[in-house]
Amino acid sequence: MSQIKTVSVIGAGGKMGMRISANLQRSDYQMFYCESAPQGQQRVAAEGREISDANSVVPLSDVVILAVPDIVLGKVSESVVPQMKSGAILLTLDPAAAYANLIAQRADIEYAVAHPCHPSVFLERYTKEEHADAFGGVAALQHVAAAYEAGSAEQKAELSNVIKVMYGPVEQVHWVTVTQLAYLEPTLVETVACMVGAFMKEALDETVKHSGVPEEAAKAMLYGHIQIALAVAFRATNPFSDACMIAMEYGREKIVKPDWKQIFDQKELDIVIARMLKIDAIRR
Ligand SMILES: NC(=O)c1ccc[n+]([C@@H]2O[C@H](COP(=O)([O-])OP(=O)(O)OC[C@H]3O[C@@H](n4cnc5c(N)ncnc54)[C@H](O)[C@@H]3O)[C@@H](O)[C@H]2O)c1
């Protein structure tokens, strides 16, 4: 029988709080929603969810989800953690604060982080709802990357059930360490993938401005080529042409620094996470 029965969401009126609450509300868990900002409280109430006082509900909760901004996670955890019941799980949604050791510690509670992977660009989507669900958590299947370093297989399986509800529909929860999760996000997906996405948009705008190509033509050409570039690079559907590989090599020489892989040095990870959290340095 499940040990996790009661779940509280702190920051329930924020972007993630609203998304995960919408799913958790339909589950069998006893749910409590906490939100400090009046506008956030209105958003929670508008969805038919009642606002609870964290001081009253945190001590009752088997899982406390901190859906507050990363830069206040340390401070919020300092007030929440002392009120948690022994053996309960503090679940955060991004590895940065946990990696930087900003979360208040207590020996008798459990710590976990769960981050949505978002639906894959290669996902086979059938319905309009699946196509519309870019973020995940509504209709399109996604995976989740999570860390629960002290958790046994049984405890992870229990927490997986909560994670699969809050980010559902979920195909699989991948268990990694907090440091590995930080290499996934920010390093792999924000420092690289989101940067490249924004870079492609900048290149699109520059193409239109510089060459006078109609914007619709440039968009059509780019969007199709994003698809084929990903399919060839990741799925080897067919090889890039010889001429394309020469142009790609030229692009690398002009755009990518030869030592770019230093972003995988742990001291670089420390630097980017400290920047994200707006602190001087991460705590060791
Ligand atoms: N936004 C995303 O796309 C996204 C994706 C994955 C993970 N995350 C993670 O989710 C977490 C939340 O991010 P977000 O973007 O939803 O933030 P947000 O700023 O949209 O929402 C945070 C909410 O927390 C509330 N809050 C702040 N302090 C509080 C307190 N003491 N008690 C109760 N409520 C409080 C705020 O009023 C706000 O409504 C972060 O750890 C973030 O890294 C966000």
Side-chain angles (χ1 to χ4, degrees), residues 10-17 19 34-37 40 43 66-70 72-73 76 79 92-94 115-116 118 135 167 185:
I10 315 285
K15 292 185 282 297
M16 289 303 277
R19 290 178 180 125
C34 307
E35 169 58 56
S36 57
R43 285 192 290 270
L66 292 187
V68 301
D70 296 314
V72 301
L73 262 177
V76 173
S79 68
T92 51
L93 309 182
D94 184 281
H115 198 288
H118 307 300
F135 191 91
Y167 291 142
E185 166 146 358

Side-chain angles (χ1 to χ4, degrees), residues 194-211:
C194 293
M195 184 277 291
V196 169
F199 179 74
M200 287 196 286
K201 171 68 170 71
E202 208 178 315
L204 173 72
D205 294 343
E206 193 59 27
T207 303
V208 172
K209 191 174 129 202
H210 198 84
S211 68

Side-chain angles (χ1 to χ4, degrees), residues 34-199:
C34 307
E35 169 58 56
S36 57
Q39 279 191 335
Q41 291 178 346
Q42 277 173 19
R43 285 192 290 270
V44 174
E47 295 300 321
R49 296 187 279 272
E50 203 180 305
I51 297 284
S52 294
D53 172 25
N55 297 324
S56 314
V57 299
V58 166
L60 309 174
S61 302
D62 302 309
V63 175
V64 177
I65 302 173
L66 292 187
V68 301
D70 296 314
I71 52 171
V72 301
L73 262 177
K75 206 171 131 249
V76 173
S77 71
E78 275 162 29
S79 68
V80 167
V81 165
Q83 304 193 59
M84 289 174 65
K85 67 177 173 190
S86 188
I89 302 172
L90 187 77
L91 180 62
T92 51
L93 309 182
D94 184 281
Y99 178 83
N101 295 309
L102 298 185
I103 313 267
Q105 294 294 304
R106 229 177 83 188
D108 64 334
I109 69 161
E110 308 279 330
Y111 293 87
V113 187
H115 198 288
C117 294
H118 307 300
S120 165
V121 71
F122 298 119
L123 178 70
E124 288 181 19
R125 298 167 193 250
Y126 303 99
T127 65
K128 256 192 175 163
E129 290 74 20
E130 285 171 83
H131 280 282
D133 186 15
F135 191 91
V138 179
L141 259 185
Q142 65 175 335
H143 292 231
V144 176
Y148 183 4
E149 293 186 26
S152 64
E154 216 174 33
Q155 287 173 308
K156 284 178 178 164
E158 275 236 20
L159 188 60
S160 283
N161 292 333
V162 177
I163 291 170
K164 284 181 174 173
V165 170
M166 65 194 237
Y167 291 142
V170 167
E171 170 114 24
Q172 195 182 340
V173 178
H174 301 272
W175 294 106
V176 296
T177 66
V178 168
T179 301
Q180 288 171 334
L181 197 51
Y183 274 118
L184 292 175
E185 166 146 358
T187 305
L188 176 62
V189 299
E190 291 180 329
T191 302
V192 180
C194 293
M195 184 277 291
V196 169
F199 179 74

